[in-house]
Amino acid sequence: MGLPMIWMVATSMTAALASSWVVSALSRFVWRPRAIIRAFRAQGVGGPDYRFLVGNIREIKRLLVESVGLVLDVGCHDYGALVQPHFRKWMALYGRTFVSWPGERPELFKHRVS
């Protein structure tokens, strides 16, 4: 077996591994989230859209920055608007049950009233 044959085998093995990695990444970061979104929406559960790799983290950060200036009354113990303003916004938009994406994994949020 000559040196050109070894290089050809090594190149084809590298290409096979790279294509396998690309298919795995596409499955994890594109196809799987889309399938999950379709399944939840078929059941009537909405939520903010998934963004590639980052999910809803950008929107969460933006809403946290906007809530920095909020001040609660002395007698008010409802600090949810300060700590998790994104849940307040999404409950108003999507109802008490919704799916959020803090990254590539979904989180189902269901607010129960006691």
Side-chain angles (χ1 to χ4, degrees):
M1 192 189 293
L3 192 59
M5 183 68 159
I6 293 173
W7 280 108
M8 188 169 65
V9 169
T11 304
S12 63
M13 297 265 303
T14 304
L17 287 173
S19 65
S20 170
W21 181 81
V22 167
V23 168
S24 175
L26 281 174
S27 173
R28 181 176 179 182
F29 298 115
V30 178
W31 297 324
R32 182 177 168 265
R34 287 185 182 187
I36 290 170
I37 289 171
R38 275 195 309 271
F40 274 120
R41 291 199 175 145
Q43 297 175 34
V45 178
D49 291 332
Y50 168 77
R51 302 282 182 244
F52 182 70
L53 290 178
V54 296
N56 305 122
I57 292 176
R58 288 184 185 148
E59 185 175 1
I60 291 170
K61 284 183 179 181
R62 181 182 56 80
L63 291 169
L64 282 171
V65 168
E66 289 176 4
S67 72
V68 168
L70 292 177
V71 178
L72 295 176
D73 292 335
V74 175
C76 180
H77 300 288
D78 187 17
Y79 55 86
L82 298 174
V83 179
Q84 296 178 324
H86 50 287
F87 285 139
R88 291 290 176 116
K89 179 181 178 185
W90 294 337
M91 275 196 316
L93 290 173
Y94 306 112
R96 294 191 176 269
T97 304
F98 60 87
V99 177
S100 66
W101 296 86
E104 82 272 1
R105 291 191 176 144
E107 287 186 353
L108 181 64
F109 180 79
K110 182 173 175 81
H111 180 71
R112 294 185 302 165
V113 179
S114 351

